[in-house]
Structure formats: C-alpha cells, structure tokens
Amino acid sequence: MEYKVKFKEMKIGAALEFNLIDYPGKIAAMAFTTLCNYQCPHCHAAPLLKGSGDIGTEGFLGYLDTVKEWVNGVVICGGEPTLQPGLKPFLGRLRERGLSIKLDTNGSNPKVLEQLLGEGLVDYVAMDVKGPKFLWPATAGVEGHEEAMAESLKLVAKFPDYEFRTTVAPVVRAGEDISFLTVPEMAAAARLIVSATGGNAHKYFVQKFVPRKDGLLDSRLESFPETPHQLLKDVHKEVVKYIPDSRIRG
Ligand code: SF4
C-alpha cells in the first residue's frame, strides 16, 4: 500500500535504541511522543508531558535506516501518541519501511484508534486500563474520559494483536489517603474489560509500580515502595478468574 499523504511533523521527545522487550516477538525501536491529556500521579514521563524536546521525525527515521538490518518493529508510546496530528502520516512512513507497529495508548481517543484500525496502520495496541472505572478520575488525574475509555476497550480488542494492562500503583484517595490499588479494585477493572469488550479472551498484564525519586507527576508517590510482589500475586489470583490469560509483569 502507498501512503501519499502530506507529511505533518510528529513531536518525538525521546527515542530508545532497539530492544527485544517492548514489542513481543520483534526487535523494536521506541519513539516517545510528547504531551498527554492525562495526569496520572504515578507517571514517569514528566518531561515528555511538558512537551519539551523534539528529536524530530526525520532524526528518528534516519536512525531506523541505520539499523534496518536488525529492527523489524517500532513502538510508539508517550505521552499519548494519539494526540499527535502527524501520527498517521508517520505510521505510513514506517509502513513504507516494512516495519511492524505497536502503539501504546491511554485509550482516551477512540476516534483516532478507529481510524488506525480502519486503515490497518497498527499491528499491536497496548492500552492502559487505569484501574476500576470509579477510580479513573484519581488514577488518570483528570475527569470526563470514562466514556471514551470504555469505547476504546471495545476497539482495541479488534486489532490484530493487543493487550490491556494496569499498573498496580498507589492511588490518591478522598481525604488524601494514598494506598495501592486493592485486589477487589483490580477485580473490578478486570470485570470492566470483560463487560466492555463482551469477552474474556484477552491478554491482561498486571504491572508493578516502580517509584522514581525525581520524576513522578505526584511527588507524594515518590516515597512509596514498588508494588509488593505478594500484592501482584494476590491480584493475579483474582483477575485470572475473569480473564484467564492474565499475567504479572515486572
Ligand atoms: S502514565 Fe498517564 S500521564 Fe503518563 S503518559 Fe501515560 S497516560 Fe499520560
């Protein structure tokens, strides 16, 4: 397929050289887009969210040309890539190079996901599910995206390959109490995925929160330990009842 669209620049705040970890089954380079419409307290990407820095798409594509003998995939993450007006043309240019494409998203932009699905521009989507729906304003740090996220759950399950994932992170609750997502809350998140998609044949990763001393959006979370492995195991034991292919990551 040829992509003759006019190329709009996409802001890439950082890139990582290729690795075998971030795109299952591929040797993939990573492009981190700037800006996000969420403010997750546990987010590590503060500089990207400010939109500072841009290595330029030409720089990233130039790098890909130097490693084309090894690299067969690209991960587009962020920030939130679906906010970038230049996303589709950029993906088209990756396709011209014969690369497989994985997109990481917070699910806030179902319209863009629908277009990417319709145009076959993405092979693998990883969507963050920010815990149970009633906690989304706290876990995403913004209000009013519930409908969009529910719509995205349905759409993501139609891509050729995909995963859902939740970081078992500390949550700032009413009264400023801060504590990790609980087993019942994670069970509610798993049930939500099943009810929104109408099925349970999904990959679902429960992920470890890792504190970072100088880069979390909410500095109150920096003194928290990483998610205890026992909590991850307890969460997994529960969510696997709803989504059999649930796994612990981290
Ligand atoms: S963790 Fe949250 S705030 Fe950070 S990039 Fe992802 S969706 Fe945006």
Side-chain angles (χ1 to χ4, degrees), residues 183 186-191 194 200-206 232-248:
V183 173
M186 288 296 296
R191 285 196 300 270
V194 173
N200 67 354
H202 315 300
K203 284 185 286 230
Y204 182 42
F205 290 90
V206 291
L232 290 172
K233 280 169 65 179
D234 292 345
V235 164
H236 178 258
K237 197 172 160 193
E238 191 63 21
V239 299
V240 80
K241 295 176 187 166
Y242 305 102
I243 303 178
D245 192 2
S246 296
R247 311 173 201 183
I248 294 173

Side-chain angles (χ1 to χ4, degrees), residues 6-68:
K6 186 172 183 314
F7 182 61
K8 277 186 191 164
E9 278 293 317
M10 192 171 80
K11 282 190 88 176
I12 299 176
L16 267 190
E17 291 188 6
F18 60 87
N19 68 69
L20 285 159
I21 298 166
D22 291 292
Y23 190 162
K26 303 286 177 196
I27 303 171
M30 299 192 65
F32 295 82
T33 60
T34 61
L35 307 175
C36 187
N37 49 353
Y38 285 5
Q39 292 279 315
C40 308
H42 64 278
C43 179
H44 282 193
L48 285 171
L49 269 54
K50 288 185 194 129
S52 55
D54 184 8
I55 64 170
T57 48
E58 295 305 328
F60 185 74
L61 293 168
Y63 163 70
L64 288 179
D65 288 340
T66 67
V67 291
K68 63 184 175 195

Side-chain angles (χ1 to χ4, degrees), residues 6 39 69 92 117 123 165 168 183 204:
K6 186 172 183 314
Q39 292 279 315
E69 282 166 39
L117 177 68
D123 304 291
R165 58 196 190 179
V168 186
V183 173
Y204 182 42

Side-chain angles (χ1 to χ4, degrees), residues 180-196:
F180 283 107
L181 284 167
T182 64
V183 173
E185 287 167 351
M186 288 296 296
R191 285 196 300 270
L192 170 74
I193 294 169
V194 173
S195 68

Side-chain angles (χ1 to χ4, degrees), residues 5-10 12 31 33 56-58 60-61 64 74-76 85-97 101 121:
V5 286
K6 186 172 183 314
F7 182 61
K8 277 186 191 164
E9 278 293 317
M10 192 171 80
I12 299 176
T33 60
T57 48
E58 295 305 328
F60 185 74
L61 293 168
L64 288 179
V74 172
V75 179
I76 318 289
L87 178 63
K88 281 205 294 173
F90 179 66
L91 297 181
R93 294 184 75 184
L94 297 179
R95 280 289 196 239
E96 284 167 0
R97 287 165 165 77
I101 298 169
L121 283 169

